[in-house]
Amino acid sequence: MKETVLSRLLRPLFAGGGALGLAALALPAQAQEPQPTAPVARVEVTGTLIRRAEAETSSSVLTLNRADIERSGKTTVAELLQTLAVDNQGSVPMGFGSGFAAGASGISLRGLGAASTLVLINGRRVAPYGLADDGQKMFADLNIIPSEAIERVEVLKSGASSLYGSDAIAGVVNVILRREFVGTSMRASFGQSEESDGNDGVVAVTHGFGDLDNDRYNVLMSLEYGRRSDVWLRDRAERGHIGRVDLRNWGYSAQQALGGTGAIVDNNLAGSAINGNVRNPDTLDYHNRGNLGPGTGFTQLFPGAACANFTSHPQGDPLGGCLIDSTLVYNQIQPSQERINFFARGTMQLNPVWQVYSELNLYRSKSESSTTPSGINANVGYPGGPVSNAAVALGPGHPDNPYFGSTARLRYLAADVGPRVSNIESDFIRFVAGAKGQFAGWEIDTALLFSQNEVANERTGYLQRDVAFALLNPSLANVAAAAQNEAYRSLPPGTVWRIAENAGLNSPALYNALSPMIANDAKTRVAQIDLKGSRDVAQLPGGPVGLAVGGEFRREEAELEPTAGTERGNIIGLGYSAYKGARNVAALYAEVLAPVHKTLELSAALRGDHYSDAGDSYTPKVGFKWQPQKSFALRGTYARGFRAPSTAENGVGGLAAFSTAADPLRCGLGVESACDPASVAVITSPNPGLSPEKARTMNLGMIWDPYARTNIAIDFWEVKRKNEINQEQINAAIAAGRVARDPTTAAAGIAGDPGQITAVLASYVNSAESEVRGVDVEFRQGFSVGQVTGFVMDAKWTHLFRWLRTEQDGSSLDFAGTHGNCDVTNCIGTPDDRVNFRLSWEREVWKVSANMNFRGNIKNTFFKDDPEGCASHFANGADAPANCELPSFTTVDLTLRWMAMPKLEVFGSVQNVFDQIAPLDPLTYGAQAYNPLDAPGAMGRFFTAGVRYKF
């Protein structure tokens, strides 16, 4: 059915949230008399299969139309969606270049994780990104969405497994692309930060021809090209703590791993220095190679290794390490990215009631991210267990060994090798061929879908463990192990890796053997056939009873190859990650809409799924909408949901990664450095015995339009999830003793010290339950200032009352308002308040908007009432940051649009107008010293200007 004029007019009325639909109903009748024989215009709404006359349903749906997207000033839809108040813990930011899912962006509704948020294009699925978040969670990459082709985005904020399937447990993001277009539109924009970097250029062309009514066909094509430059943390050095690992000026110390890279922390404990820290074989104390003073026990001195020859960074380590700020030098706020996006849709009207259509999405991106050079002693894990690299040492005959004649452990930042760089190429395709029309009173829609994502990840700067050990300490055992490497065998016998001031003596062949390019590939695929139909089946006092039924069958496949060498723990600092699996999914579903009274509408839906690897599931949903008057309505839903384990969770493979955790055992023995969170390797195994997650969602809301231009919507919601699939809590695994330790790192003089944790051994498990409860408030007010009309205020606020996770042993952790859960994604925390506020003015040829995004305070604890207290501390032992709390953060963006000519629009925006600096966050690992949620506060003020011309 072609959308009518009335239907199109309804679209913008629903853009600001649920209350606007009732506002439209409250308007006075138009002077024109309605045509009694004209059919009632019906619209499609995410969250129901039944086309309806009103866009408001019993479910809460947030709609962003093209105007909303343009008002935001964001270049991509991914950026906009991640600023929404409903996004929380578990979202995947594009800037996390060193994460498992580098090169992609994902949204996490209700903080339930990107894997529990279903992303659709025109109501149908897309293949998930090839690289799973945390090596576990399969999710859709938001970058594949062609922004110029978007008609609107609908966000269903309650679970929808009963209609869409298992991965809609937290809600649905349905991106509706244009289905018909005639003419040509061209858009070009260019953005740049106030620091003259981060260049962001976009060019897009949309062309369509053919009129469905007259020509009986329409073809539209949209091509978009974007290129974004990287932004280095070193170019934000004037922004205080942003990007720094050396936070001594802010009260931190090396004991919290925040005193600079290369610090000597304690007896038998040192960081990786750019000129090398070495351990005295007799005292186990570390000393810097550039130390020329007495008391080191050196047998030869190296004046060229003086710290001043490598860095001008302020020193001051009391134990004599050579400090640099490695993250500030080598890491990025924003990786570079080049992308091209193509969308085409063809529609042919076969006869008055049937049409056929096809859609093609193509997306290709290349991104490059950088992080610090490798330390030579980073521990790793693989399915066979942990690999400790703590014993890496300079051999007794190594010419750069200050303890010449003895083996001396080395802590070295391999700056001569260079930073670790990831080059990621992602190719995405989605093709749909379908038909829709009417048959025997039914409105039918059926289609075939194929979608695939291929990701290639090439890495440089990583060290081969066996080669590094042999080149530093060519013992018989080390040389024998490295002899498996052909590039090492080709080196002249006796070759050693010269470090620091002597690195210029190394040959290209040595670096080729030590740090070759390593790569792996990933692929996901979805093939689906579906059929659905709807019709009116009876008449009730409130109107016709709508019935919808449907079914689908799909094949899902996913494979991630391990990076060569990680399958045996041979890549220093890079853990193993791989998975492989496939399954078939069949589903039948039905929905009924019953207007039992002119003021009361009831709805119900039921879905049955069969997963070849997870069994059967039945998920019902019921809802109501009671509208006693046109300006007021109550609505509510109750639904069951489930999420089947992903291939990464129950397939073949495994994961070895890094997280942060304290060591309570060593801390209790008096090892001060073990009392604060430090990086640990975590080895997680798939679990074929996992059960599907089960969920229950409830929503109760009110929509009220007290005045002609005032719209209010309030929704209280709760999600309870059982059998939640998680990596075991790292702290729990440590407390249970499921760890591997290196006894050679024990501190001298502390009896019973077992040494540092080299790895935590865990698996994916079904946790007992999680419960998330909160409220959404939406407010919209139109007003005038004197004789000037066209002002609108729009606010959306999401508040979390609790985010409670209950473990199998009955212990409970509430993450709401805290920095937990640090076991997921990048430890961004779970803010209990997020607000989007917009003040806009539109009149004639002008459109001006001010957009405010607010993130509430975050308590710097791992969970509420954590008995361990604050997760971070200042050098004097006080809680850090002040009051153990990350302050709230607010940014304001301005956008301006001007129709200079009937076909020419000029637009521009300023992001972070007041140049706010993100608060210091010492705990997250998704960014350095600032929270990824606050990335605009790291970037600084950003300007964009562009034009759009329509032919």
Side-chain angles (χ1 to χ4, degrees), residues 498-836:
R498 303 301 299 272
I499 65 171
E501 74 279 11
N502 296 315
L505 301 175
N506 295 320
S507 67
L510 179 144
Y511 286 117
N512 183 52
L514 176 65
S515 180
M517 187 272 287
I518 54 178
N520 68 328
D521 296 320
K523 179 187 291 186
T524 62
R525 180 179 294 166
V526 175
Q528 174 179 295
I529 182 171
D530 62 60
L531 171 66
K532 56 188 175 182
S534 64
R535 65 169 298 167
D536 295 340
V537 295
Q539 187 72 30
L540 290 176
V545 176
L547 171 67
V549 296
E552 66 183 52
F553 177 84
R554 68 178 183 272
R555 172 76 171 177
E556 299 177 348
E557 301 176 3
E559 180 178 5
L560 171 65
E561 300 174 355
T563 303
T566 60
E567 78 285 352
R568 58 190 181 96
N570 194 52
I571 309 300
I572 295 176
L574 183 63
Y576 175 88
S577 180
Y579 43 79
K580 182 177 182 180
R583 65 186 176 198
N584 297 326
V585 184
L588 293 174
Y589 44 85
E591 181 187 12
V592 176
L593 176 67
V596 297
H597 188 267
K598 63 180 181 180
T599 64
L600 179 62
E601 174 184 287
L602 302 180
S603 60
L606 178 65
R607 182 185 181 98
D609 287 273
H610 173 73
Y611 279 71
S612 60
D613 63 341
D616 300 327
S617 180
Y618 299 93
T619 48
K621 182 175 183 177
V622 295
F624 77 93
K625 186 181 74 171
W626 179 52
Q627 189 175 340
Q629 54 183 326
K630 291 184 177 180
S631 63
F632 180 81
L634 293 177
R635 64 184 175 192
T637 59
Y638 173 88
R640 294 282 185 176
F642 85 109
R643 184 180 77 84
S646 71
T647 296
E649 294 165 333
N650 71 352
V652 177
L655 170 68
F658 292 89
S659 186
T660 55
D663 187 342
L665 176 59
R666 299 188 77 210
C667 180
L669 293 173
V671 182
E672 182 182 350
S673 59
C675 298
D676 289 289
S679 178
V680 295
V682 184
I683 302 172
T684 307
S685 301
N687 183 355
L690 288 172
S691 300
E693 296 178 346
K694 301 289 186 179
R696 183 195 74 189
T697 64
M698 293 185 292
N699 189 94
L700 181 62
M702 174 199 76
I703 312 168
W704 184 34
D705 302 339
Y707 306 105
R709 292 188 291 175
T710 303
N711 317 123
I712 301 170
I714 302 175
D715 289 280
F716 293 90
W717 52 268
E718 180 182 82
V719 182
K720 284 190 175 182
R721 180 167 56 178
K722 295 184 177 181
N723 295 331
E724 181 183 346
I725 301 171
N726 290 298
Q727 182 187 81
E728 276 185 279
Q729 282 274 322
I730 293 174
N731 293 339
I734 292 174
R738 290 192 294 273
V739 299
R741 295 181 180 273
D742 183 357
T744 65
T745 60
I750 298 182
D753 182 1
Q756 290 177 296
I757 294 174
T758 57
V760 179
L761 310 178
S763 64
Y764 296 118
V765 297
N766 288 111
S767 298
E769 181 177 297
S770 62
E771 178 182 331
V772 189
R773 185 184 302 163
V775 61
D776 296 332
V777 178
E778 300 182 17
F779 173 80
R780 185 180 176 96
Q781 175 68 61
F783 63 96
S784 303
V785 178
Q787 299 299 314
V788 182
T789 61
F791 289 94
V792 174
M793 286 193 306
D794 188 302
K796 297 176 178 65
W797 168 45
T798 293
H799 175 74
L800 291 180
F801 296 117
R802 69 191 310 179
W803 208 116
L804 187 69
R805 175 168 153 179
T806 303
E807 300 299 332
Q808 292 172 311
D809 61 4
S811 60
S812 296
L813 307 175
D814 189 353
F815 299 124
T818 75
H819 216 309
N821 177 4
C822 275
D823 290 347
V824 299
T825 310
N826 46 41
C827 189
I828 66 174
T830 309
D832 52 11
D833 286 296
R834 294 197 72 179
V835 177
N836 307 129

